[in-house]
Amino acid sequence: MSESSPKKAPSRRQFLTGAAAAGAGAVAAGAARAAGPDPLITDVQDWARATGEGVDATPYGLPIEFESDVVRRNVEWLTADTISSINFTPIHALDGTITPQGCAFERHHSGAIELRKDDYRLMINGLVDTPLVFTYGDLERFPRENRVYFCECAANTGMEWAGAQLNGAQFTHGMIHNMEYSGVPLRSLLQEAGVKPEGKWVYVEGADASSNGRSIPLEKAMDDVMVAFKANGEALRKEHGYPVRLVVPGWEGNMWVKWLRRVEVMEGPVESREETSKYTDTLANGTSRKWTWVMDAKSVVTSPSPQAPIRHGPGPLVITGLAWSGRGAITGVDVSVDGGITWMPARLAAPGTDKALTRFYLDHNWDGSEMLLQSRAKDSTGYVQPTKAQLREVRGENSIYHNNCVQTWWVKENGEAENVEVS
Amino acid sequence: MSKFLNLLAGIALVSTCAAAPAMAEKLGLGRAALPEEIAAWDLDVSPDGTGLPAGSGSVEDGEMLFAEHCAICHGDFAEGVDNWPKLAGGKGTLADKDPLKTVGSYWPYLSTAWDYVNRSMPFGNAQTLSADDTYAIVAYILYSNDLVEDDFVLSDENFLDVEMPNAGGFIVDDREATEAHFWTSEPCMEDCKDTVEITMRAAVLDVTPEEIGTEAGQDQNGHSAAASHGEARVEEAKAVEASAALDAELVSAGEKVFKKCKACHQVGDGAKNKTGPTLNGIVGASAGQVDGFKYSKVMQAAASDGLVWSEDELAAFLAKPKDYMNGTKMSFAGLKKDEDVHAVIAYLMSFQQ
């Protein structure tokens, strides 16, 4: 599969459309005795003779060109304009749990703005003893924390309510990322201003033209909400709210206000556009749930999946995926290869941690036959990820948000996979 | 709330212990916010009307303002254009298969509409409407939903009298009660069902975006990814070459000004018509000629009269679009500064073909 091999390796698309048999055959043969000496070994290759790039060739590096397909993708028909839209993390091609910032999904309401640290101001006002203004430099002087949390858009998997629709884990489950944040507890800033006893909520608002704002109960604001300025060790990216964003662990991504400029302590919620007309879940009878902030336990097999087909024959196969819960830590993930008739406990790469992604593996001996591949997460509150039928029974098909159903990939004999629904 | 109280109790304990980090102790960071600063940013309006400024606006004025500022995305009758939000209609559809959620059919509070128009609209030109304009636009949205008569005037005084049809249509998150059966702890592991059948396939719908270049270097059309990247680079190089005669500083200043135009216009490689037409090669081009864009009647008339977008004509248009061409679809107030006009024209000239 190397770039420099004399014959072009089959593309993923060719693989999907029929040239698969030959490809799979060739690779399968690799398990037996090689047909002849491999020129990649017997010939001296260019990279083993000549020198490579010096240091400083790329002062800030991007992934090597061979990984150019591992990028965020947009589904154009979803929204009117990319300025107010969303794209998807390529979870099918990533491993581990930390999402690199450069390919972590973006959601903007009026575009990603450029706000310099010097121009940054954060106001705390409302029901406080002293309304305050902080500069970026002020924030850096508060005692700091590091925490890993997932951020999932409430609409992740939202296109799948009425049926199997998008063919790829990136598109069905890619409105999620998981980063290590450095910042200060919102509690510290609120205490600095002094919250009055009648204060029960905070309203948090961004500096961009959408003024995206959400109401958060004071109890949560004083608990684990962070005002973050670094992610994965470096400054936040523009598209994730540089220089400062809010981190609201376990709760829907829309509340993680980017370019955070104001926190107002209030008696009641503002009932802003984003917490009434959007991010409310309409049930079958036409009434709608509001304040559905917590993201329930959920998991997905990221490989094999439609964008990550099996490229080898029968034998050892690594089935892997991600699991998470906004209510606590993942305690276990089960995997089924027969559409949910029997389940096998998967191996967690590391013990689950609170409101963060957990990587799971099932080291499987594939017999080369079709699979209906599913995963099912359990969390520390005893919650078990439901099937789509179970969810529809309670919520109908018009919820848009909070679809945390068990996902099924139909893996065919040639290794190709498709998003399906099963009985 | 018990957790919250425990937390406070914990903090109280900690602060009595000198060796522990003094979490509740103030650090003296930041400065007091001035009343003018709070007034400038604290604009949110609550359901009980808190935050509403004094003012009023009529349906009649709202119709004009809506046509000028909003209709390009939301349609003349708030019915929505393309994928942009529909603001009217949908009454009684919330229990249907595809509910139509509009201000009239879904939004529980009128304050939300006022607050959103005031702070976040018009798209690409936010916070430019006066309080009276906002009252008028909201009045027109109510009218377009058949919630008020055509002689209605909305003000801070009668604001809470308006009844929103779906005000009672919301319940607070009840998942822990209605979905209690999902907390099963020990799920089934074997013989969980008798048979399994595929009931629906994503491939049947075929709405997934195409694959892009893979590490094998080929995309679905057989073009190598490297080559298409190369082409993009060549195009970029050409653009740079063409603009060599332009003042680079002015072009770069123009790029910043163009941010105001970006909500509706695209320019450069791969530009597509959006709310406004693509602008590649616009300087010196005949007006109203971009393929596939539906121009206003006045623009079509100007085009057939032979209007050419010379730098001077473009400058006059951009300074005050509505004065230059009464009836244009371009809902943009205009660039106040001459230097911005010149800079943005220089920027557009860097995309001549």
Side-chain angles (χ1 to χ4, degrees), chain B residues 110-340:
Chain B
L110 189 59
S111 59
T112 311
W114 201 97
D115 188 33
Y116 189 69
V117 173
N118 182 48
R119 283 194 288 147
S120 312
M121 290 286 116
F123 192 64
N125 204 20
Q127 298 196 33
T128 56
L129 298 168
S130 69
D132 286 348
D133 288 354
T134 305
Y135 278 107
I137 287 170
V138 173
Y140 180 70
I141 295 171
L142 288 171
Y143 171 72
S144 67
N145 278 288
D146 300 324
L147 295 175
V148 297
E149 299 297 323
D150 59 2
D151 59 354
F152 179 73
V153 178
L154 181 68
S155 72
D156 54 309
E157 285 173 5
N158 67 1
F159 199 85
L160 296 180
D161 300 338
V162 178
E163 285 181 24
M164 299 298 278
N166 197 39
F170 290 81
I171 54 169
V172 172
D173 184 3
D174 62 352
R175 280 177 287 178
E176 290 184 21
T178 54
E179 297 175 7
H181 54 295
F182 295 165
W183 275 266
T184 54
S185 285
E186 293 304 324
C188 174
M189 296 299 284
E190 273 176 24
D191 300 323
C192 302
K193 46 191 170 184
D194 296 333
T195 55
V196 171
E197 271 171 48
I198 291 172
T199 52
M200 188 161 184
R201 298 178 50 187
V204 175
L205 274 172
D206 195 23
V207 290
T208 310
E210 289 293 314
E211 289 263 311
I212 52 172
T214 69
E215 67 269 48
Q218 299 247 328
D219 67 3
Q220 70 281 2
N221 298 320
H223 298 131
S224 90
S228 60
H229 285 171
E231 277 157 26
R233 259 183 242 121
V234 171
E235 286 302 316
E236 222 170 84
K238 273 189 198 156
V240 170
E241 211 172 288
S243 62
L246 296 166
D247 179 344
E249 226 167 89
L250 196 60
V251 170
S252 130
E255 187 177 356
K256 289 207 182 79
V257 177
F258 191 73
K259 285 184 177 173
K260 293 183 180 171
C261 321
K262 263 185 172 169
C264 301
H265 291 285
Q266 293 193 343
V267 68
D269 200 30
K272 287 182 201 155
N273 290 332
K274 299 296 246 186
T275 309
T278 61
L279 297 176
N280 288 329
I282 191 68
V283 185
S286 299
Q289 301 301 321
V290 173
D291 271 354
F293 186 77
K294 196 164 167 276
Y295 289 94
S296 62
K297 288 207 180 79
V298 285
M299 186 65 84
Q300 288 172 30
S304 57
D305 287 349
L307 172 64
V308 169
W309 289 124
S310 65
E311 289 179 54
D312 288 348
E313 294 290 346
L314 208 48
F317 182 50
L318 293 177
K320 278 229 154 185
K322 300 277 179 201
D323 286 3
Y324 179 91
M325 189 177 284
N326 189 12
T328 176
K329 282 165 82 174
M330 189 158 95
S331 69
F332 179 64
L335 293 168
K336 288 197 188 91
K337 295 183 195 156
D338 280 351
E339 64 214 63
D340 284 354

Side-chain angles (χ1 to χ4, degrees), chain A residues 2-340:
Chain A
S2 161
E3 278 295 282
S4 63
S5 53
K7 280 185 188 167
K8 270 239 156 82
S11 76
R12 210 164 274 181
R13 175 65 48 160
Q14 284 167 333
F15 187 89
L16 293 179
T17 51
V27 182
R33 189 184 149 77
D38 186 346
L40 281 168
I41 297 170
T42 54
D43 296 355
V44 178
Q45 301 296 320
D46 286 350
W47 59 79
R49 182 186 300 117
T51 54
E53 266 179 359
V55 299
D56 284 354
T58 321
Y60 194 103
L62 284 171
I64 196 164
E65 59 186 305
F66 313 133
E67 297 293 317
S68 62
D69 58 331
V70 184
V71 290
R72 297 183 279 236
R73 300 285 308 279
N74 173 22
V75 176
E76 269 189 37
W77 53 263
L78 275 180
T79 53
D81 195 299
T82 56
I83 290 171
S84 179
S85 190
I86 190 147
N87 59 19
F88 301 84
T89 307
I91 53 170
H92 64 288
L94 302 177
D95 212 324
T97 55
I98 294 293
T99 315
Q101 290 200 72
C103 69
F105 86 97
E106 311 166 74
R107 168 69 166 119
H108 311 314
H109 296 260
S110 57
I113 58 166
E114 291 181 5
L115 177 56
R116 300 188 323 157
K117 283 179 187 166
D118 285 353
D119 297 338
Y120 179 78
R121 300 289 184 273
L122 174 60
M123 182 186 289
I124 312 280
N125 75 309
L127 299 170
V128 292
D129 299 333
T130 318
L132 292 175
V133 172
F134 298 113
T135 61
Y136 184 86
D138 293 332
L139 296 183
E140 286 188 312
R141 298 174 64 190
F142 282 91
R144 212 172 296 165
E145 289 181 344
N146 285 205
R147 295 279 187 277
V148 177
Y149 292 120
F150 76 83
C151 171
E152 184 185 18
C153 177
N156 199 20
T157 323
M159 291 80 75
E160 305 293 311
W161 272 109
Q165 181 153 251
L166 288 165
N167 211 16
Q170 177 170 23
F171 301 111
T172 56
H173 289 76
M175 295 180 187
I176 191 162
H177 56 61
N178 190 62
M179 301 190 196
E180 183 198 39
Y181 295 97
S182 307
V184 303
L186 177 58
R187 178 178 61 242
S188 304
L189 306 184
L190 289 170
Q191 282 168 348
E192 193 70 15
V195 176
K196 290 184 174 172
E198 59 268 37
K200 296 284 181 273
W201 292 73
V202 295
Y203 180 70
V204 292
E205 174 188 276
D208 62 316
S210 78
S211 310
N212 178 32
R214 291 291 300 257
S215 307
I216 298 175
L218 188 67
E219 184 179 1
K220 177 74 173 176
M222 298 296 278
D223 183 12
D224 57 2
V225 176
M226 275 175 89
V227 174
F229 33 84
K230 294 277 166 69
N232 300 343
E234 61 179 355
L236 290 165
R237 295 286 167 90
K238 170 173 76 178
E239 61 269 33
H240 300 129
Y242 178 94
V244 175
R245 86 170 306 166
L246 202 66
V247 169
V248 189
W251 288 18
E252 61 191 19
N254 180 258
M255 308 177 87
W256 296 45
V257 166
K258 300 189 286 188
W259 313 290
L260 180 72
R261 83 166 189 186
R262 198 169 69 90
V263 179
E264 180 179 359
V265 180
M266 303 182 75
E267 265 188 272
V270 167
E271 302 282 7
S272 69
R273 179 200 187 241
E274 306 296 329
E275 55 203 20
T276 53
S277 79
K278 305 285 175 187
Y279 303 100
T280 46
D281 313 359
T282 302
L283 304 170
N285 67 2
T287 56
S288 305
R289 286 175 177 163
K290 66 173 185 177
W291 303 353
T292 46
W293 303 305
V294 182
M295 301 306 294
D296 285 318
K298 185 166 171 180
S299 69
V300 64
V301 170
T302 53
S303 177
S305 66
Q307 296 161 289
I310 302 172
R311 292 161 173 277
H312 55 73
L317 167 69
V318 173
I319 297 172
T320 186
L322 293 166
W324 61 95
S325 170
R327 298 185 189 271
I330 289 297
T331 51
V333 178
D334 302 319
V335 171
S336 174
V337 297
D338 59 12

